[in-house]
Each structure stands twice: as structure tokens, then as C-alpha cells.
């Protein structure tokens, strides 16, 4: 990961112009300030309701650690920290970055603060009223579609404790601003290019119809949300971005709206029930032994209590399966050993704007202890780090010639770089008695080097040994390469921050969080440990990775070194 560490230094002190350049580069059109004409502003005017017809139930357990920091007036987002005076609002100061400001304006922290008793409630009301006074009519940065939809949702999650509290004057200003933002979303959502804005907007407009409009416009809002479900949820229940974290948030949105419909005495549409059941099963597929989620594709570890809360609301235990064909994942569970292999190609545009080139990477855990992972992702860390971990080198897989396994191309509509490919990615599974084989390959390096990457994984017995083989194969039908120059490759195994790694004479010794000892063995010479990064716990951590490097024969058939590398993870008795 040395290349990423050199190119991206998200914790350095930045000038405002440098910060603006990074924001434009990595947020594209969705990061641009919103603009409204004088006529549009007139359309937004008006008052909110005198009373609410319904309030949403907040189904996400509070993040007590974040709330306790906020109660001490410490605002921490990723690696950036802001210490305030008692009662001071964060937007009263120059914020550390646009990313920091973006997260603050979303109010994702509001329900956590509300959960801190009467003192937290009073603090939240004061902050919301201050925000309303400064930004409640319109603000280009704060009123972009996605953060506006997120903010409205988070206000609605706080229910009457926020929306019907305080003096008549303060309450009216607060609710008028909410209604104004909802009218703005209704006017602009059709113009949104990025899928997250469209999804959040559709969700919030259903909530608006139920909570503020006594059901008026509910049919149109549900129709819009059904369309987004069809576009963004795959037939096996996975999210089209292939992100477990996106799946979790989308499932909670639907569960919250279904609950609101039932309490309003309105029927829950069949399509909502259908998608909820499929998404619940897929969420269970991605739940690791520690209760959190795998970190594939814009996914973080996600707090176990949030995942469990979503699964507990399913009407029946989720069905179990080991292969998600539409989402492109294979799973193996043996004893306490659990492996999930990414064997799918990139999502179609525009859903590939944040996809990651991790073809044939895997995540491995032993019971509740995570062992092998990727560099992960977190919406909390700065946008340049979020972009850095999209590269193949940020995943536990093979990298040939320093190239990514997929191709990043410009999406002119969103001004972001979308991932395409890799070609011909596929996986086969064979189970016999106590043995499980996974055999997968992709052709992401074929155009440049004429070689296919093939990964085979074998697990047997009680899950105390995992054997793997990575090979680089020149197809028989392809003519021999004229250039006989060897091609450098690396195979990386990113270790979770809770793993302690030590080099030994004939193996690398790994101690997991649960105290179990594993040994990484390989016939390949020169296995080494290097520093890497890990983002999925909301901060930038620096665990270690195992790296196997070599030089591939462009005409090799993958049956022997240097084009065939065998390795194994073996648990000590």
C-alpha cells in the first residue's frame, strides 16, 4: 500500500484551495453547490403543518461513543477533530474541510445526541434551531440533494422530541424549514444523477406524505420508491453497488417506512415486503462472526447492534445460502472459519462510480475474529482516502503489472471515475463430503498481458486449514507473446487491525483477537510483512499485510512457478 500512502495524505494540513480541488475531484457533480432561481425560491416558501399526522420510529440503536463525545463538545469525523466551547455550534467556526462540513450538515449525529437524555435533547434542539436560523431558507452547500434528503430523514427520525418541542415560535421556524427542504427535494429529485440522492429522496418523500401531509401524494411517492427499488436492489436481495453497508441502510429505510404505513392504517405494498425479505437474507449472508458486516465495495464494519436490529425486524428468520449469483459472492463456512469471495464484475453505470477493483479478493474470519480483509471504507474519512481504497492493491488479491483488475473510466454525467469489468469473471463451487473447492478466474489482465488470473481455494475438515493457489494462465487459444519479458506481480493479504503478525523462519505467525494462532505458509520465496491501511472502523488505522511478489512468465500455463503460487492459512491446535 506504499503507493496509496504516498499519493494520499488525508491527515495533512490543507489549504482551502487544495481542499476544494480534492472535493471537486472526488465528489463530482454531486459535490457542487445547489443553485435555485428567484422563481424556484418563491415555490419553496410556505409554512409547515400545525400538527404531524405521524412520526417515524427510529430503528437504529444510538452510537453512544459518538454521542458522549458530542456531549463534551468534541466533533470528530474520520481523522479530523473539532473542539468547541460549551454550547457552541460547529458551523460557527471554519470547519476543517468540505468533507467535515458535509457530514455535519447531514445531522446523522442527531438521533445519537437525542438518546443522551434531557441534556442531549436540549443540546440537539439548540443546534437545530441555530442551523435553521443560519441555513434554514437555503444554502448552496448544505442544500445539495443528498445531504438535504439525509438531514430531513434524520430530523424525522428524532420525532416529536425534536419537531414538536420548544416554544411555538421556535417550533414553527423548525418545522417550516423542514417543509421547505421537503418541497425543494420534491422539485429537484428528478434531476439527480447519483443513485444515492435518488434513493434517499424517494425514501424521504414517502415519509413526507405520511408524516407532514396526512397521506397526500403518498401514491406518487411510493411509485417513485418502487422504481428505485427495482433499479437498485438485485433479484437476490443485494444492493446494485454490491456494498453490504448500502444494503443495510436501504433495508432500514424500507423497514421504517413499512412500520409507518402500518401505524397509519395503510397497506404495506407487496413489493416492499418482497424486497425486505430478500434484502434481509442477503444482509445475513454478509454478517460476519462479530455481528458486523463484510467491508466489500463502500462497506464498513457497521455496528453489530444495527445489523442485529435490522435482522430482528424480519417476519421470519432469513433463508441461508452460500452463493449470491446476481451480487457475485461465494461464501464458505467450516467450523468457525468463514470466507467470502468477491467474484462479481462492476455494477453498471452510474452505480459503478464508487465501485472497487477487488476482483477475486476475499475476507476471512475465525469465529468473531477477523483475519484477512481489505483496506475497507468509511463515509467518515476524507474523500481522497475513500478514492484511494478503490484500487486493486487495497484488496486481498493478485495485482499484475501494477494495474487494476478493472478499468476506471470517466462518467461524464457525474464527473466521477466509474469502474468497468473485469471481463469474464466467473466462479465454480464443488462440495464433496467435508471438502469445499472454489475455483474462480477473471480476464482483467488479458488485454494488457495475455494472462488470466485464476484463484482456487480449498477448505476441508473442521475449518482449521485453508489452502489457496493463485495462477496466471495464458489461454491455449492465444498465440505466444512476442515479448518474453517477465511481468511483476504482487499477491496481498490485508490483515485486520486486531491481528498481530510476526515473521517466523518457515511461516508468518498470526494471533487473532480471540487468541487463536494461525500460521501463513507458502512455497513462494520472499513472503514479507508491510504496513497497510484500514478505514472500516471510521478512522485511519495502519495494520499489516502479507505480500508475495514475483515475476510472471507471459507464456506460462499457470501449472508451476513463477506463474503458480500456493499458500495456506493453518490454525494451530
Amino acid at each position: 500500500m506504499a503507493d496509496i500512502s504516498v499519493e494520499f495524505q488525508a491527515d495533512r494540513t490543507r489549504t482551502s484551495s487544495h481542499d476544494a480541488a480534492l472535493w471537486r475531484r472526488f465528489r463530482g457533480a454531486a459535490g457542487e453547490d445547489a443553485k435555485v432561481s428567484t422563481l424556484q425560491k418563491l415555490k419553496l416558501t410556505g409554512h409547515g403543518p400545525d400538527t404531524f399526522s405521524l412520526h417515524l420510529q427510529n430503528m437504529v440503536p444510538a452510537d453512544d461513543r459518538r454521542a458522549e463525545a458530542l456531549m463534551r463538545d468534541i466533533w470528530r469525523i474520520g481523522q479530523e477533530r473539532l473542539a468547541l466551547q460549551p454550547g457552541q455550534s460547529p458551523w460557527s467556526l471554519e470547519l476543517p474541510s468540505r468533507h467535515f462540513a458535509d457530514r455535519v450538515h447531514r445531522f446523522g449525529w442527531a438521533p445519537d445526541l437525542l438518546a443522551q437524555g434531557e441534556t442531549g435533547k436540549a443540546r440537539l434542539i439548540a443546534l437545530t434551531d441555530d442551523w435553521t436560523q443560519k441555513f434554514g431558507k437555503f444554502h448552496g452547500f448544505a442544500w445539495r440533494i443528498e445531504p438535504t434528503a439525509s438531514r430531513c430523514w434524520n430530523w424525522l427520525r428524532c420525532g416529536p422530541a425534536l419537531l414538536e418541542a420548544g416554544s411555538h415560535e421556535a417550533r414553527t421556524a423548525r418545522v417550516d424549514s423542514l417543509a421547505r427542504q421537503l418541497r425543494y427535494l420534491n422539485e429537484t429529485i428528478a434531476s439527480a444523477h447519483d443513485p444515492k440522492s435518488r434513493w434517499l429522496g424517494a425514501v424521504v418523500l414517502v415519509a413526507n406524505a405520511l408524516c407532514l401531509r396526512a397521506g397526500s401524494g403518498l401514491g406518487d411517492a411510493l411509485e417513485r420508491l418502487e422504481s428505485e427499488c427495482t433499479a437498485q436492489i438485485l433479484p437476490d436481495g443485494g444492493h446494485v453497488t454490491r456494498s453490504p453497508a448500502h444494503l443495510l441502510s436501504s433495508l432500514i429505510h424500507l423497514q421504517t417506512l413499512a412500520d409507518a404505513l402500518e401505524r397509519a392504517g395503510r397497506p404495506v405494498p407487496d413489493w416492499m415486503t418482497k424486497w425486505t425479505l430478500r434484502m434481509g437474507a442477503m444482509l445475513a449472508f454478509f454478517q460476519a462472526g462479530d455481528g458486523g458486516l463484510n467491508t466489500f465495495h463502500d462497506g464498513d464494519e457497521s455496528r453489530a447492534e444495527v445489523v442485529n436490529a435490522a435482522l430482528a425486524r424480519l417476519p421470519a428468520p432469513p433463508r441461508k445460502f452460500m452463493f449470491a449469483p446476481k451480487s457475485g459472492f461465494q461464501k464458505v463456512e467450516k467450523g468457525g472459519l468463514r470466507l467470502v469471495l468477491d467474484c462479481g464484475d462492476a455494477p453498471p453505470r452510474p452505480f459503478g462510480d464508487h465501485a472497487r477493483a477487488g476482483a477475486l479478493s476475499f475476507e476471512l474470519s475465525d469465529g468473531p475474529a477477523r483475519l484477512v480483509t481489505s483496506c475497507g471504507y468509511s463515509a467518515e474519512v476524507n474523500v481522497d482516502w475513500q478514492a484511494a481504497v478503490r484500487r486493486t492493491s487495497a484488496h486481498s488479491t493478485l495485482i499484475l503489472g501494477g494495474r487494476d483488475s478493472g478499468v476506471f473510466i470517466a462518467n461524464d454525467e457525474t464527473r466521477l471515475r466509474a469502474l468497468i469489468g473485469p471481463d469474464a469473471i466467473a466462479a465454480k463451487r464443488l462440495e464433496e463430503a467435508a471438502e469445499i473447492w472454489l475455483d474462480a478466474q477473471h480476464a482483467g489482465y488479458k488485454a494488457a498481458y495475455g494472462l488470466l488470473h485464476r484463484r482456487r481455494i480449498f477448505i476441508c475438515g473442521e475449518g482449521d486449514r485453508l489452502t489457496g493457489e493463485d495462477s496466471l494462465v495464458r489461454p491455449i487459444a492465444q498465440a505466444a507473446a512476442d515479448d518474453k519479458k517477465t511481468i511483476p506481480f504482487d499477491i496481498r493479504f490485508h490483515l485486520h487491525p486486531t491481528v498481530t503478525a510476526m515473521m517466523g523462519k518457515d511461516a508468518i505467525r498470526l494471533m487473532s483477537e480471540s487468541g487463536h494462532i494461525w500460521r501463513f505458509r507458502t512455497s513462494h520465496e520472499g513472503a514479507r510483512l508491510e504496513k497497510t491501511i484500514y478505514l472500516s472502523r471510521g478512522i485511519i488505522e495502519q495494520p499489516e499485510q502479507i505480500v508475495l511478489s514475483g515475476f510472471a512468465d507471459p507464456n506460462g500455463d499457470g501449472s508451476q512457478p513463477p506463474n503458480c503460487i500456493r499458500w495456506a492459512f493453518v490454525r494451530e491446535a
Side-chain angles (χ1 to χ4, degrees):
M1 289 298 294
D3 53 336
I4 288 180
S5 298
V6 169
E7 185 178 354
F8 296 95
Q9 293 293 333
D11 53 352
R12 65 191 167 216
T13 301
R14 292 171 167 163
T15 64
S16 58
S17 59
H18 183 213
D19 177 60
L22 287 173
W23 183 257
R24 286 193 300 271
R25 178 181 175 189
F26 296 122
R27 288 293 289 162
E32 287 187 347
D33 284 7
K35 296 178 177 64
V36 295
S37 65
T38 303
L39 179 60
Q40 287 174 312
K41 283 185 179 180
L42 289 173
K43 287 184 178 181
L44 301 181
T45 57
H47 296 292
D50 294 328
T51 60
F52 283 78
S53 52
L54 186 76
H55 284 291
L56 298 182
Q57 286 191 8
N58 180 29
M59 297 186 178
V60 180
D63 186 339
D64 292 332
R65 288 204 305 174
R66 175 161 66 175
E68 288 166 4
L70 293 175
M71 293 296 287
R72 301 194 308 271
D73 293 294
I74 303 297
W75 292 71
R76 185 186 298 277
I77 295 174
Q79 67 274 35
E80 297 174 323
R81 181 179 182 273
L82 189 65
L84 303 177
Q85 297 299 316
Q88 189 177 21
S89 61
W91 41 80
S92 64
L93 301 175
E94 182 178 356
L95 295 176
S97 66
R98 278 171 170 77
H99 170 70
F100 194 102
D102 176 74
R103 304 305 297 175
V104 167
H105 281 296
R106 291 169 185 262
F107 275 71
W109 43 268
D112 302 326
L113 194 56
L114 183 62
Q116 297 298 299
E118 289 300 317
T119 307
K121 174 182 173 181
R123 182 79 176 111
L124 172 60
I125 291 171
L127 285 169
T128 306
D129 288 346
D130 187 62
W131 187 94
T132 298
Q133 184 178 359
K134 291 180 171 65
F135 307 103
K137 290 188 176 179
F138 185 77
H139 183 268
F141 184 81
W143 280 55
R144 290 169 296 119
I145 295 176
E146 186 192 335
T148 299
S150 182
R151 180 171 55 252
C152 290
W153 181 256
N154 289 321
W155 283 16
L156 289 167
R157 285 171 60 204
C158 293
L162 172 64
L163 299 174
E164 299 195 41
S167 67
H168 175 74
E169 181 180 3
R171 176 200 172 280
T172 299
R174 201 180 307 136
V175 175
D176 284 353
S177 175
L178 173 62
R180 186 183 183 93
Q181 293 173 68
L182 290 167
R183 283 192 289 269
Y184 169 74
L185 286 175
N186 192 52
E187 288 287 324
T188 58
I189 189 63
S191 65
H193 293 302
D194 63 300
K196 196 169 183 181
S197 293
R198 294 204 310 268
W199 175 272
L200 278 171
V203 165
V204 169
L205 291 177
V206 174
N208 177 36
L210 286 169
C211 298
L212 280 77
R213 304 185 64 198
S216 177
L218 179 60
D220 290 341
L222 285 172
E223 186 177 338
R224 180 185 294 276
L225 181 56
E226 181 184 10
S227 177
E228 290 303 325
C229 283
T230 302
Q232 300 201 32
I233 308 301
L234 298 170
D236 59 14
H239 194 275
V240 68
T241 60
R242 308 183 64 235
S243 163
H246 285 187
L247 173 66
L248 172 62
S249 62
S250 300
L251 175 58
I252 290 174
H253 289 150
L254 294 186
Q255 289 177 326
T256 304
L257 294 179
D259 171 78
L261 286 165
E262 288 176 352
R263 288 187 292 111
R266 298 177 180 274
V268 178
D270 291 341
W271 58 264
M272 190 177 287
T273 302
K274 176 191 75 171
W275 287 123
T276 297
L277 290 172
R278 293 183 185 182
M279 294 164 74
M282 198 69 210
L283 185 69
F285 177 95
F286 285 124
Q287 188 177 33
D290 60 5
L293 296 178
N294 292 120
T295 63
F296 297 104
H297 300 278
D298 279 12
D300 56 31
E301 285 190 15
S302 295
R303 292 182 295 131
E305 60 269 30
V306 180
V307 182
N308 289 331
L311 293 174
R313 292 198 66 87
L314 297 175
R319 66 183 181 89
K320 294 184 178 181
F321 52 92
M322 293 291 137
F323 174 39
K326 298 299 182 182
S327 294
F329 291 95
Q330 289 268 6
K331 182 166 73 170
V332 176
E333 291 181 323
K334 271 284 188 180
L337 195 66
R338 177 181 178 277
L339 175 140
V340 182
L341 176 72
D342 182 347
C343 50
D345 57 7
R349 283 194 279 178
F351 304 106
D353 283 349
H354 299 282
R356 299 165 67 177
L360 304 193
S361 65
F362 67 85
E363 296 194 10
L364 180 69
S365 56
D366 176 16
R370 297 179 188 238
L371 297 174
V372 178
T373 180
S374 67
C375 287
Y377 170 89
S378 172
E380 294 293 291
V381 302
N382 277 335
V383 291
D384 47 357
W385 277 111
Q386 293 177 20
V389 295
R390 299 181 68 191
R391 308 294 300 275
T392 300
S393 57
H395 299 81
S396 294
T397 188
L398 179 145
I399 307 98
L400 184 61
R403 289 176 175 262
D404 294 307
S405 57
V407 179
F408 291 98
I409 63 171
N411 182 345
D412 294 334
E413 218 172 38
T414 62
R415 295 204 302 279
L416 295 173
R417 288 167 59 80
L419 178 67
I420 304 296
D423 292 334
I425 187 166
K428 295 186 295 184
R429 180 189 193 99
L430 176 63
E431 296 190 40
E432 185 174 321
E435 301 178 344
I436 302 175
W437 284 88
L438 294 181
D439 189 344
Q441 69 177 32
H442 72 79
Y445 302 121
K446 184 179 177 184
Y449 302 114
L451 295 173
L452 306 177
H453 173 208
R454 185 181 187 186
R455 168 163 275 183
R456 291 191 283 188
I457 294 173
F458 175 66
I459 300 176
C460 64
E462 297 303 315
D464 54 3
R465 183 184 182 91
L466 180 151
T467 304
E469 177 186 283
D470 284 291
S471 55
L472 291 163
V473 183
R474 191 168 194 90
I476 296 175
Q478 190 162 324
D482 295 329
D483 187 354
K484 304 299 191 293
K485 185 178 180 181
T486 57
I487 309 160
F489 68 82
D490 295 298
I491 304 172
R492 300 179 184 272
F493 303 92
H494 295 270
L495 303 177
H496 193 265
T498 56
V499 174
T500 301
M502 293 161 284
M503 289 293 300
K505 185 176 181 180
D506 59 351
I508 298 176
R509 191 168 183 261
L510 309 174
M511 178 179 287
S512 72
E513 186 177 24
S514 61
H516 291 171
I517 305 298
W518 287 78
R519 291 185 181 272
F520 176 84
R521 301 179 182 276
T522 180
S523 58
H524 187 75
E525 293 184 1
R528 66 187 188 275
L529 289 172
E530 290 183 356
K531 284 292 185 182
T532 182
I533 60 165
Y534 189 71
L535 310 183
S536 285
R537 300 199 290 188
I539 57 175
I540 297 174
E541 301 176 87
Q542 290 190 306
E544 292 184 283
Q545 61 176 322
I546 300 169
V547 184
L548 310 178
S549 298
F551 293 88
D553 177 357
N555 290 312
D557 63 2
S559 63
Q560 58 187 1
N563 285 38
C564 179
I565 306 93
R566 296 183 176 91
W567 44 266
F569 289 88
V570 183
R571 181 166 49 196
E572 289 187 357

